[in-house]
Amino acid sequence: MSLLAPAQGHRAIFRINPVAKLAAALLLAGVLILTIDWVSAAVALACELVLFFWAGLSLKSFALRTLPVWIAAPTAGVTTLLYGQSAGTVYWAFGFVNVTEGSVELAIATTLRILAVGLPSVVLFVTVDPTDLADGLAQVVKLPARFVLGGLAGLRLVGLFLEDWRALELARRARGIADGGAVRRLLSQAFALLVLSIRRGSKLATAMEARGFGAPGRRSWARESTFRGRELALVGIGLAVALLSVGVSVATGSWNFVLT
Amino acid sequence: MTPKAAASVSGASVVARGWGWRHAGRRAWAVDGVDLRIEPGERVLLLGASGAGKSTLLHALAGVLGGEEEGERRGQLLVNGAEPSGARGQSGLLLQDPDSQVILARVGDDVAFGCENLGVPRDEIWRRVTDALTMVGLNVPLDHPTSALSGGQKQRLALAGVLAMRPGLLLLDEPTANLDPEGVLEVRESVARVLERSEATFIVIEHRVAIWQNLVNRVIVLDAAGGVLADGCPDDVLTSQGDRLAAAGVWVPGRGSGLVAARRDAPAGTATLLRTPGLAIARTKAEIVARDIEVEVLAGTALALTGPNGAGKSTLALTLAGLLKPAGGAVLAVPEFAAGAGPEPIRWKSRQLLTRIGTVFQDPEHQFVAATVRAELSVGPRALRQPEAAITARVDQVLQRLRLDHLADANPFTLSGGEKRRLSVGTVLATQPKLLVLDEPTFGQDLRTWREIVALLDELLREGTALVAVSHDVDFVATVAHREYRLAGRAAAPAVTAGAVPR
């Protein structure tokens, strides 16, 4: 398996610069964490659910990829419901558990907020190719090329680590040290993996250096990473959703700034 | 530009005057006293015993040896009259391990990587990428995922990446040591095609001389004691230095391995240890690699598992070794072999395996668990709770038998390739298992280590130990194996053969 497997597709969303996707997701999240109220989250979520039709995902892969968010959101909600700040009418109390009018409202707001922030992030990133993201970060955001490309090349090693881990496991059984003492064995195996990964990393670094990586002089880019109308449009949509949700929330008087 | 245009790059000259290099923290010089002159366009095969510093010299020529903190140098080493580290891209280096040379996810991007680092303009990069891929004969789309390439294809990809930089000096460091026979041919053919069209100076390290003999016009032999041992045209050097080279671990063509394939007939009437009724094997639960496998493992007999890449040789070996669960059917041990541990090896405790089945992994580093060679060898006997005196005695014996006694306190990870291989065999021998399972025991080994391993396995066979070995190595199979089991690959289900090794 490879974490670097290129994401492929033909819809417009696949061709949008990943930096724009990153920016849109961050913008939305940045605004939505400023307030704890269900109105803003609900408005944002409603807009997003409509926009997802253009996200380039089938219903099945949408459900599969976003499953963690669908699990995390209600879990956080239920926790808030049971243990959240009490206010207003008490519906049910048992030990530390205190379900009140306030905690119900907070629970709904929390659940919706996690969905509103989580779903677009996942959806936008499913269609991101790591190589394109690296190109964008280096050329558009101007992060140092050494750092970005080093990280990108390192990602490729993750698949090899999984194979190493399996081999280490079998080897330990073969060496007669796999009976009992699971925690200790896991630790020593993790350490062995660390040693192997450092060695793999340094080999990769040599291979990169042999191809002139880190050479003095200006680096050129084989793939141009551009930030044009399409990208601005995506960031604009993110901004519009954020502003709309804040606007509705303020207008209905439910805006609840976190720091007050 | 056409591929021909790559030839317009003129070859670089190499000059070494009393050159030496010592890695930081080591007492001995890895290379020392090297004096040589290589003219532009020469094709050189660089030989020498392991530890003679061939790789170090090549890395230095490529300018990737590192600075002051990595080690100390003396003398002079010049490429085209200048320090190699100052002129990246002037020399291109192809390394041994295919997996650690793939840098990016798509074929085209990976080839372009070197050009980008050298600041080549975009349009020119893509012209060079296409040219380089054509030269090495890798006909896949530019957006083909690099993870889907075979070992031989990965090496050709890396070669294309190096060629796209248009180096005047092409350096190959054992480029085929980690490949199966098919991959070796692929890479050799690619290099031959490149050399036909290019004027670049060419230096290759390889201990299997036959692969490159016809592509080079000069052989240089480095002396492990420092300096150059021999230098001249291939035929002269290989004839005059043949014996010395063979003794130093170089596979000199026409000399064979020096061991006679004598143990052809399986010993008669030996006991069966394992049977595999209706066995199906899988690496992970979902993917069955082969089914209907019927093999018998006999005491005192060597069984070779052969077949193309991906046919499941390693999977079968690890399943026979009681490490992977059969996906169907069973691996059954006869009661005398199981000795009270139950009929299925996969259900045996880890400790119970020690005296019954020992496994030597393809990558020795996977099986090292201790900080010193001595401690590494004691792991098995200690898990069996043998008395301390017995452990010491046994470990000393194994150390001596494998010529590792002078390294008893060394860290296993710091050993050379051949030493690591010997140690990995030693860790298994320490508990004297009745069956030894080996995965590619001779992969990438020089002739000296190869001979030692073969001689050791021969001894074990005579003592009655059973062997199962996965191997691509034709010489090894012909010399050691009594029987061969060939896995045909995914195509046909039971299309496998078992029988005596054909002459």
Side-chain angles (χ1 to χ4, degrees), chain A residues 4 56 77 143 149 178-179 205:
Chain A
L4 272 185
L143 291 181
L149 292 171
D179 304 321

Side-chain angles (χ1 to χ4, degrees), chain B residues 98-110:
Chain B
D99 278 328
S100 59
Q101 290 189 86
V102 179
I103 295 162
L104 294 174
R106 292 179 291 229
V107 165
D109 299 352
D110 193 86

